[in-house]
Amino acid sequence: MSLHAGDEFRRALEQAGLHPPVAIPPGEMIRFPGVGKSNGNTSGWAKLFPDGQAGAYGDWASELSEIWHAQHDHTMTATERAAHTRRVAELRRIREEEELARHADAARETQSIWASATEADPSHPYCQREGIQPHGLRVDDENRLIVPVTINGAISSLQFIDASGEKQFLPGGKVKGGTFTMGDLTEAATLLLCEGFATGASLHEATALPTVMAFSANNLHPVAEQLHRQYPAHRILVCGDNDIHADGTPNTGLEAATAAANAIGGGFVMPNLDGQKCDFNDLAQAKGLHAVTTAIEAALRPQPHVLDEVHAFLGRFIAYPSQHAHVAHTLWIAHAHLMDAWESTPRIAFLSPEPASGKTRAIELTETLVPQPVEAVNVSAAYLFRKVSDPAGLPTILFDEIDTVFGPRAQEHEDIRGMLNSGHRRGAMAGRCIVRGKTIETEDLPAFCAVAIAGLGHLPDTILTRSVIIKMRRRAPTEHIQPYRRRRHAPEGNTLRDRLAAWASTVRETLEIDPSMPEGITDRNADVWEALLSVADATGKDWSDRARVAAVALVADAMGDRGSLGVRLLTDLRTLFQERHAMATVDILAALVTLDEAPWGDLKGKPIDSRRLANFLRPYGVSSKNVRIGPDIVKGYATQDLYDPWQRYLTSDKEASLSPSPHASATSATPEPEESFQLYKEED
């Protein structure tokens, strides 16, 4: 054995948090204090094998167990590598056999110790000091409390607690996955999970809820999963230790409780004792059991789903054109955290006929909530393709002013257009040729990722048919939203993003990737909505119902938009209508072509006709219908339909005079009573 290899082995132990002796003799099993233990503890162990090139070490108290091999200064030959692989496999086999033997020996010893122990009394010094009852514990002949570690109904190890609170496990006993339970788990729909005995006793005494003790922070996760499998209908609340440190040292109790809760989709709660490091027993001693009861009751109150919180967060800053658009945006953001679960990831397109309609704000809010956001501002296709290949995870690409890529202002963006058009499908690749010296090689770059876009006007069907289309509108005077300030509100969005990611990890394995579609949602529309409906179904019935209503509404509303000629038309129509309640289509057309300096008499060589009039007005939610003009029913337009776009897109003192009454008449050109006027919807 070289001295170098021995030193290397000892450094490996020290890096694992162990404190072995200076000299580690080869071929012998040595014992020493475990991780974070005092000199009286001997749960740490190590064995350096005779050749000094490999060994094993661990801590029986914390279930730490590792195999080590020396780092070679030269590249191993195939023969050396094969020999090394065999040696590691043999070490693993020996370690596993020794571990099983130690567990078996310890299990037999536990039976003897537990059988000879006597029932603990509430007057035991540790119980008195912590203000708790013994809850069925026993004491040994050294007056140490004995806590049985149970796995699958059998005692696998013991924990000893002396009067001062020093804890020690029976050497060799299996602890990982072990528990001690206070109360009957079958009699309540809610159970509490915690680390130590005193904490568990205080929780159980304060709430009367069954409480499971996991013995350590790193055992919370496996125990939580085990309980979730055994009691799938139970609500499990993880009650962590608040290991807060003023110097910024990681809060291991919080991290462990969060990980355990996220693993099972449960909740967690932390004690708060004026910002001090504490557990729930500390809280009980400082402020009484009622403080523990209050904290647990607050944690068990129904909490909004994280999707509801994302929905509320978005609604504070965005004036959506409809509640269906609001629902779709929320679901799309959640789907981005699971984008690799489906064959296709839909695009979401925020489009509007005019600027200042909330599109950029929607993209800004999306950026705070999605995984790996990439704001595509003046980027090359090569950059985007390499972001998609980033080992950190699939990105969410955010394109504002998408009309610069697809619209009249688009220049050389063919590669980006190709990526946006084809990258919705998992496995989509972009082929490129690379010249290396005199050799031309091919390269396949992945293109699949989630994409949100925003822009003015219309987009090609190649992308619209793959998109959830949100037709944004300029905010009306009656619509109020909260001003968005990135420095103030982005951290709030990032917190929700992290919670969404944690939730997504809990539903990924059980996600229904082939959800039922509402009637009429087929083919490409079904591809677009499949992921969003899957997310909704994973959230609950309320979201399932809302998602399907939104799908039907937005698919039916997925029509093209027009540009600024639409605003000119709205302005001219307001001039024509004056105080009228309705106008016939033929009268509107005749009047439009006579307006001074108006474009309506020459649209690409032809005057405006009824079809073009309808196409211009449709994006603003206005369509023709049968209206009564005097004694006649004719095809035309009503003021009450035009009032909303006038209010949103035009600014004038005349707006106030155009507000229709709740019972607005169809026309003022007849003396009939107001209630006799009728509007007739256009029949198919």
Side-chain angles (χ1 to χ4, degrees):
M1 180 197 73
S2 69
L3 180 62
H4 172 74
D7 291 341
E8 189 179 329
F9 183 52
R10 187 175 62 255
R11 282 197 298 271
L13 271 64
E14 291 171 346
Q15 289 173 358
L18 298 170
H19 300 284
V22 174
I24 302 179
E28 297 180 16
M29 175 74 77
I30 61 172
R31 300 287 296 277
F32 46 85
V35 178
K37 302 300 182 180
S38 63
N39 289 334
N41 179 276
T42 57
S43 63
W45 59 272
K47 183 174 183 178
L48 181 62
F49 286 84
D51 63 1
Q53 298 302 303
Y57 63 88
D59 180 2
W60 288 316
S62 63
E63 297 292 322
L64 172 67
S65 182
E66 297 290 342
I67 290 176
W68 170 88
H69 58 84
Q71 299 295 319
H72 294 273
D73 295 331
H74 68 281
T75 302
M76 287 188 290
T77 65
T79 301
E80 289 173 331
R81 188 178 301 108
H84 175 72
T85 300
R86 289 194 298 272
R87 183 166 56 244
V88 169
E90 179 65 12
L91 286 174
R92 193 180 306 278
R93 183 189 64 78
I94 293 173
R95 184 192 67 176
E96 291 174 353
E97 289 179 353
E98 289 181 348
E99 187 174 58
L100 288 174
R102 287 196 307 272
H103 289 339
D105 291 342
R108 286 189 290 271
E109 189 177 356
T110 62
Q111 301 301 323
S112 174
I113 295 174
W114 184 252
S116 62
T118 58
E119 185 175 352
D121 190 272
S123 63
H124 187 276
Y126 181 75
C127 293
Q128 290 291 305
R129 194 184 76 175
E130 304 297 326
I132 56 175
Q133 297 296 310
H135 296 284
L137 299 190
R138 297 182 183 182
V139 293
D140 62 8
D141 54 7
E142 298 180 31
N143 200 31
R144 296 181 300 176
L145 288 174
I146 306 175
V147 188
V149 181
T150 303
I151 299 177
N152 296 326
I155 299 177
S156 63
S157 186
L158 301 172
Q159 184 186 56
F160 302 93
I161 308 175
D162 65 20
S164 67
E166 181 71 24
K167 300 179 179 66
Q168 183 177 356
F169 285 101
L170 182 71
K174 182 174 177 56
V175 177
K176 185 176 181 179
T179 63
F180 175 73
T181 301
M182 288 163 269
D184 189 343
L185 297 179
T186 64
E187 290 187 353
T190 299
L191 63 90
L192 307 180
L193 172 62
C194 67
E195 293 185 29
F197 174 73
T199 298
S202 294
L203 287 166
H204 183 59
E205 291 166 18
T207 65
L209 290 171
T211 304
V212 178
M213 168 190 167
F215 293 96
S216 66
N218 60 6
N219 202 30
L220 286 175
H221 191 154
V223 169
E225 291 184 326
Q226 172 186 307
L227 289 170
H228 185 57
R229 288 191 297 269
Q230 190 173 0
Y231 302 98
H234 280 49
R235 181 178 182 181
I236 301 174
L237 181 65
V238 183
C239 306
D241 288 359
N242 195 349
D243 298 324
I244 190 171
H245 298 278
D247 61 0
T249 302
N251 190 327
T252 55
L254 174 61
E255 292 176 355
T258 303
N262 289 341
I264 59 173
F268 73 93
V269 60
M270 306 297 293
N272 184 3
L273 188 56
D274 305 320
Q276 302 174 35
K277 182 178 183 295
C278 67
D279 56 32
F280 279 101
N281 177 257
D282 296 325
L283 180 63
Q285 292 195 71
K287 298 188 176 182
L289 284 178
H290 67 279
V292 177
T293 305
T294 300
I296 300 303
E297 287 179 346
L300 291 175
R301 291 191 192 103
Q303 299 294 319
H305 193 280
V306 64
L307 215 62
D308 294 314
E309 295 185 63
V310 172
H311 184 269
F313 178 70
L314 293 170
R316 287 163 50 193
F317 307 103
I318 302 174
Y320 289 95
S322 67
Q323 60 177 331
H324 310 307
H326 194 174
V327 167
H329 189 197
T330 305
L331 292 171
W332 188 90
I333 287 169
H335 116 280
H337 290 272
L338 292 157
M339 69 178 85
D340 58 346
W342 297 279
E343 291 296 326
S344 179
T345 170
R347 280 71 177 100
I348 187 167
F350 298 94
L351 305 176
S352 72
E354 295 299 323
S357 298
K359 303 181 301 300
T360 297
R361 179 68 72 242
I363 292 293
E364 289 175 338
L365 268 296
T366 302
E367 186 270 337
T368 70
L369 294 161
V370 294
Q372 305 294 331
V374 176
E375 295 184 86
V377 179
N378 192 27
V379 297
S380 67
Y383 173 83
L384 291 178
F385 281 124
R386 280 160 179 77
K387 290 300 290 185
V388 174
S389 305
D390 193 333
L394 289 173
T396 306
I397 296 177
L398 309 171
F399 257 109
D400 201 359
E401 298 185 7
I402 194 65
D403 42 302
T404 62
V405 176
F406 285 99
R409 291 185 289 165
Q411 297 177 3
E412 300 300 324
H413 293 300
E414 188 62 35
D415 287 344
I416 294 178
R417 287 194 290 271
M419 176 185 181
L420 295 179
N421 286 335
S422 64
H424 67 92
R425 184 71 63 182
R426 187 168 61 186
M429 293 286 179
R432 294 290 180 271
C433 289
I434 301 174
V435 179
R436 291 190 172 93
K438 296 182 179 181
T439 304
I440 299 177
E441 300 178 358
T442 60
E443 180 183 29
D444 290 327
L445 297 173
F448 175 76
C449 66
V451 177
I453 58 179
L456 294 173
H458 195 74
L459 291 177
D461 284 345
T462 52
I463 192 166
L464 284 183
T465 56
R466 301 298 185 187
S467 301
V468 176
I469 301 173
I470 308 296
K471 298 169 60 178
M472 300 298 286
R473 307 178 301 181
R474 190 169 293 173
R475 184 162 51 92
T478 56
E479 293 176 321
H480 302 287
I481 58 173
Q482 182 177 343
Y484 176 73
R485 297 292 179 268
R486 181 179 178 82
R487 66 181 181 278
R488 184 188 311 160
H489 299 116
E492 184 179 353
N494 294 158
T495 299
L496 287 173
R497 175 201 61 201
D498 295 343
R499 293 180 55 204
L500 263 180
W503 171 78
S505 68
T506 67
V507 302
R508 184 179 295 275
E509 298 301 323
T510 59
L511 200 65
E512 174 54 67
I513 61 174
D514 189 21
S516 62
M517 290 289 160
E519 186 175 354
I521 305 298
T522 59
D523 301 327
R524 286 194 174 182
N525 288 326
D527 290 342
V528 168
W529 280 90
E530 180 179 73
L532 274 60
L533 295 182
S534 292
V535 169
D537 290 347
T539 307
K541 185 178 186 306
D542 176 60
W543 273 99
S544 293
D545 294 343
R546 293 160 68 187
R548 283 165 174 77
V549 172
V552 172
L554 292 180
V555 167
D557 194 44
M559 298 180 295
D561 295 318
R562 294 287 181 178
S564 59
L565 271 179
V567 170
R568 174 61 190 268
L569 178 60
L570 290 174
T571 303
D572 290 344
L573 288 178
R574 188 176 63 181
T575 301
L576 296 179
F577 270 67
Q578 297 294 333
E579 299 300 324
R580 300 176 183 178
H581 294 285
M583 284 186 70
T585 300
V586 293
D587 293 336
I588 293 174
L589 296 174
L592 284 174
V593 298
T594 64
L595 292 175
D596 291 338
E597 300 182 4
W600 314 118
D602 184 11
L603 294 175
K604 295 185 179 180
K606 296 180 181 180
I608 190 170
D609 55 23
S610 59
R611 180 182 61 82
R612 289 188 177 183
L613 177 65
N615 287 341
F616 272 121
L617 292 176
R618 189 174 296 116
Y620 299 98
V622 179
S623 59
S624 64
K625 57 183 68 176
N626 293 334
V627 297
R628 186 185 294 276
I629 305 294
D632 301 320
I633 295 176
V634 297
K635 188 64 64 67
Y637 293 84
T639 301
Q640 65 181 31
D641 294 335
L642 287 162
Y643 174 73
D644 185 70
W646 282 340
Q647 188 183 43
R648 292 181 186 277
Y649 298 102
L650 307 183
T651 57
S652 171
D653 294 338
K654 295 182 179 181
E655 287 179 4
S657 65
L658 292 172
S659 179
S661 69
H663 303 286
S665 58
T667 178
S668 60
T670 171
E672 293 183 33
E674 182 175 287
E675 58 269 21
S676 69
F677 296 117
Q678 302 178 53
L679 291 176
Y680 297 87
K681 290 187 177 180
E682 182 177 356
E683 296 182 0
D684 295 333

